[in-house]
Amino acid sequence: MTSVPLVYDSLDEIDDKVQLVNDFYHDHRLEYSQKKNIRKEELNFRLLQLKKLYYSVMDNEEMLIEAMYKDFHRAKMESLSFELIKLQNDILFLIKNLKKWYLKPTKLKDYTPPFMFGNIFVDNISLGSVLVISPFNFPVLLALAPLAGAISGGNTVILKPSEVTSYSAMALQKVIEDSKFPKGMIEIVQGGIKETTRLLESGKFNKIFYTGSEKVGSIVAVAASKTVTPCILELGGKSPTFITEHFSKSNIKTAIKRTFFSGFANAGQICVRPDYLVVHESIYDEVVSISKDVLNEFWPSLTEDTEYTYLVNETSFKNAKKVLNMTKGEIYSVDCKEKEELENNLCIPPTIIFNIDWSDSVMESENFSPIIPIIKYTNLDNAIDNIIKCHDTPLVQYIFSNDRQETEHILNRVRSGGCIVGDTLIHLGIADAPFGGIGKSGYGNYGGKWSFKAFTHERLSFKQPFWMDLLLSMRYPPYTKSKTNLVQFATANKPWFDREGNDLFPWTRLSYILAIIFIFISILVGYCYA
């Protein structure tokens, strides 16, 4: 595939855009603070921007599909189901639910005497200006989904698309332009490493949202730390798929089909793809045999006309070829009628590698390509030990087992950002669920209401009635022994368990009685010191 040269923003233009989104944020806050009904007016403004974004995506759907095809021969089915439909659903979910998230702060109750008559609630306030740095593998979804979340939170945004997928980057620019956002609310910056570095070093963002590799994610985190800027890092990871000895043999083919559906989609360029299979020795040979059958069933042959995604650039292609050349395992690939021509276009056919050990080249790092190794295990805990040692904290793990205890055993030992039992990948389609990594696979969540939370700050508000001063007068100087004893009695909670951990009298009920006693004592003390 051939890319088209992007027109990169100059460094001065980048500085101007960063200042523009910051100025717009504060100007907008000032303008809306003078509205009669601030919250309602602000809600309507955010909803309008989300609706404009939704229709801009819809109106440019064919252009976006074509752009992704030009960038890496993206299969239309994948562009629609993995990106555009998911994106449109996400935006609609935000529009549908934003009112209850924004207009209805969370009410809290504290029955401790100093707070029991106050009004406590948690409000989600906007952060300010946000930088969204999106990747090449899902150039539309992973750019505009966090953008929509940032809009729902009332923020301004600088969007930096991946320069690797240049057609998609230009298509995103048209989507933003067609959305007709107020000038300065959403700005797009085109560029590469130098331009991204300029954005990171500006120190003028209130949050940075990055999706990509662990290596670059650490660079982003270091840059953000210099200005104490919070980040959401959505990184990769070598995600395992378990097929255990307690999995029904009658369902092995279905398990393989579900694994290959996501493992070879987008030419394996998916951060949550099943990176490798961990299969018990009792069913290993059967799994390998069925895997070959499923590959032939999915792709009887591979030609230029096959709706199949290619690798995004020559670097990715060479990395995949290097793994295939270095592995000591047995390779089985889909039949290619035009192999040389396909390889010239950076196409790697769906490939499985079996009869390998944990030290094989294919097990060294994340296979961001259509290659799935199948590794045999005898003892489950030994296999998990290898996962923890070599590829701890994956972005997701997939488990095919009919034994609940065994599933819980795996989940208890292997930390992961997410988990699916009995399927793969489709958890991304859940409208209101958190998505994010743990450890090396990233931190922070988004998706559904978590997108709204990701781009807002939960601010505690507490309103205390003035008549409570009568009850709380013992907090004021001059301090006396009686005041100290009263404060301690009123505010220090008592344990409901002994030193051996045994529960005692139900203190929760007693606390109400003590609170009532405290009120009467406080009134008396208040009169004494009035």
Side-chain angles (χ1 to χ4, degrees):
M1 306 305 295
T2 57
S3 62
V4 62
L6 269 178
V7 178
Y8 286 8
D9 287 76
S10 70
L11 299 184
D12 288 340
E13 286 176 318
I14 291 173
D15 294 341
D16 291 342
K17 288 183 177 181
V18 172
Q19 190 60 50
L20 189 60
V21 295
N22 277 276
D23 290 343
F24 180 88
Y25 175 79
H26 292 293
D27 291 344
H28 179 78
R29 300 262 78 74
L30 175 61
E31 177 188 352
Y32 274 68
S33 66
Q34 300 171 31
K35 301 283 186 180
K36 185 176 181 180
N37 191 332
I38 297 174
R39 280 185 176 273
K40 187 175 181 180
E41 294 280 0
E42 175 64 20
L43 171 66
N44 291 336
F45 175 81
R46 297 183 195 182
L47 289 174
L48 176 60
Q49 310 316 312
L50 288 170
K51 291 172 182 177
K52 291 193 296 185
L53 177 62
Y54 175 82
Y55 277 109
S56 182
V57 172
M58 277 195 63
D59 294 342
N60 288 293
E61 187 173 273
E62 289 302 319
M63 178 197 67
L64 291 166
I65 292 172
E66 180 67 17
M68 288 183 275
Y69 179 81
K70 288 179 178 178
D71 278 326
F72 52 119
H73 202 267
R74 165 64 78 70
K76 183 175 181 179
M77 173 73 168
E78 293 174 355
S79 292
L80 277 171
S81 59
F82 291 165
E83 299 223 38
L84 298 180
I85 294 174
K86 164 67 175 167
L87 173 62
Q88 291 165 6
N89 287 347
D90 285 351
I91 298 173
L92 289 175
F93 189 85
L94 290 172
I95 293 170
K96 180 180 180 181
N97 293 280
L98 184 57
K99 181 178 179 179
K100 67 180 179 183
W101 298 335
Y102 179 62
L103 290 187
K104 297 179 180 179
T106 303
K107 290 187 176 181
L108 304 178
K109 198 65 183 175
D110 188 327
Y111 292 102
T112 307
F115 312 110
M116 62 189 308
F117 294 111
N119 188 13
I120 313 169
F121 62 92
V122 175
D123 194 16
N124 289 84
I125 65 170
S126 56
L127 298 173
S129 60
V130 172
L131 172 61
V132 175
I133 305 174
S134 60
F136 71 81
N137 59 326
F138 288 92
V140 177
L141 174 67
L142 298 184
L144 298 184
L147 173 72
I151 292 173
S152 75
N155 306 283
T156 56
V157 182
I158 291 281
L159 173 62
K160 166 58 183 69
S162 173
E163 72 279 10
V164 176
T165 44
S166 53
Y167 285 101
S168 297
M170 291 191 298
L172 285 171
Q173 185 153 347
K174 187 174 188 305
V175 169
I176 298 301
E177 291 170 355
D178 289 355
S179 296
K180 299 189 185 306
F181 296 118
K183 185 171 179 57
M185 179 184 164
I186 309 293
E187 295 292 327
I188 190 166
V189 168
Q190 304 285 12
I193 296 175
K194 183 173 68 173
E195 291 72 22
T196 304
T197 302
R198 186 71 163 215
L199 288 167
L200 292 172
E201 291 179 348
S202 71
K204 293 186 176 181
F205 294 104
N206 302 104
K207 195 155 201 175
I208 297 173
F209 188 105
Y210 169 79
T211 305
S213 69
E214 179 188 334
K215 179 181 178 181
V216 178
S218 64
I219 295 172
V220 171
V222 169
S225 68
K226 294 177 181 178
T227 51
V228 201
T229 303
C231 297
I232 292 180
L233 301 180
E234 299 296 347
L235 311 178
K238 202 168 176 67
S239 300
T241 299
F242 293 89
I243 302 183
T244 75
E245 63 179 315
H246 297 111
F247 184 62
S248 172
K249 288 189 175 182
S250 62
N251 290 325
I252 288 178
K253 184 173 183 179
T254 301
I256 296 299
K257 290 171 71 173
R258 292 179 177 183
T259 301
F260 287 1
F261 148 73
S262 55
F264 296 120
N266 206 39
Q269 300 166 114
I270 305 177
C271 57
V272 289
R273 72 182 290 261
D275 189 274
Y276 59 101
L277 282 167
V278 185
V279 181
H280 190 261
E281 60 180 0
S282 63
I283 55 172
Y284 186 82
D285 291 339
E286 189 170 357
V287 167
V288 170
S289 176
I290 292 175
S291 294
K292 294 178 182 179
D293 293 339
V294 171
L295 278 184
N296 294 326
E297 181 182 323
F298 281 7
W299 296 278
S301 66
L302 193 62
T303 69
E304 284 191 304
D305 295 327
T306 304
E307 193 172 343
Y308 175 73
T309 305
Y310 298 167
L311 293 178
V312 73
N313 57 22
E314 193 169 343
T315 300
S316 296
F317 179 80
K318 287 181 177 179
N319 288 339
K321 291 293 287 185
K322 182 180 179 181
V323 167
L324 292 174
N325 291 332
M326 291 181 63
T327 182
K328 295 178 181 178
E330 297 181 47
I331 299 174
Y332 186 88
S333 298
V334 169
D335 180 45
C336 296
K337 301 297 184 184
E338 307 158 356
K339 186 175 182 180
E340 185 176 347
E341 196 167 350
L342 285 170
E343 288 193 348
N344 289 336
N345 285 321
L346 310 181
C347 175
I348 296 286
T351 302
I352 59 172
I353 302 177
F354 50 96
N355 290 339
I356 59 169
D357 58 29
W358 290 92
S359 63
D360 193 89
S361 62
V362 77
M363 294 301 296
E364 289 179 1
S365 59
E366 182 180 6
N367 292 306
F368 214 60
S369 61
I371 299 171
I372 297 181
I374 306 176
I375 193 163
K376 183 191 301 183
Y377 79 89
T378 301
N379 178 273
L380 180 60
D381 276 315
N382 289 343
I384 293 175
D385 287 342
N386 279 303
I387 291 172
I388 294 172
K389 177 183 177 181
C390 304
H391 306 291
D392 198 13
T393 61
L395 189 52
V396 67
Q397 61 179 311
Y398 303 111
I399 302 173
F400 291 96
S401 173
N402 295 111
D403 188 304
R404 183 177 179 181
Q405 179 62 35
E406 183 179 54
T407 299
E408 289 296 323
H409 180 100
I410 296 171
L411 291 175
N412 185 57
R413 291 207 60 200
V414 181
R415 297 167 296 169
S416 61
C419 172
I420 296 184
V421 178
D423 210 330
T424 67
L425 191 70
I426 61 169
H427 63 300
L428 300 181
I430 302 173
D432 194 20
F435 174 80
I438 179 175
K440 291 185 177 181
S441 58
Y443 51 78
N445 290 312
Y446 75 113
K449 62 174 169 285
W450 282 270
S451 286
F452 176 72
K453 290 182 176 181
F455 293 103
T456 55
H457 168 68
E458 291 181 317
R459 180 171 65 184
L460 170 70
S461 293
F462 176 61
K463 185 177 181 181
Q464 181 78 286
F466 278 91
W467 63 263
M468 275 293 292
D469 225 39
L470 183 65
L471 308 183
L472 300 175
S473 58
M474 76 288 293
R475 63 179 171 172
Y476 299 131
Y479 299 133
T480 64
K481 185 176 181 179
S482 61
K483 283 185 178 182
T484 301
N485 291 337
L486 193 55
V487 167
Q488 187 174 19
F489 170 77
T491 60
N493 294 327
K494 305 297 181 184
W496 57 94
F497 48 87
D498 61 22
R499 294 180 183 274
E500 284 71 44
N502 301 308
D503 287 347
L504 303 173
F505 186 83
W507 285 96
T508 51
R509 276 183 263 169
L510 182 62
S511 62
Y512 293 107
I513 301 172
L514 294 176
I516 294 173
I517 296 173
F518 165 76
I519 292 172
F520 285 108
I521 295 175
S522 298
I523 292 174
L524 293 176
V525 173
Y527 278 123
C528 292
Y529 289 94

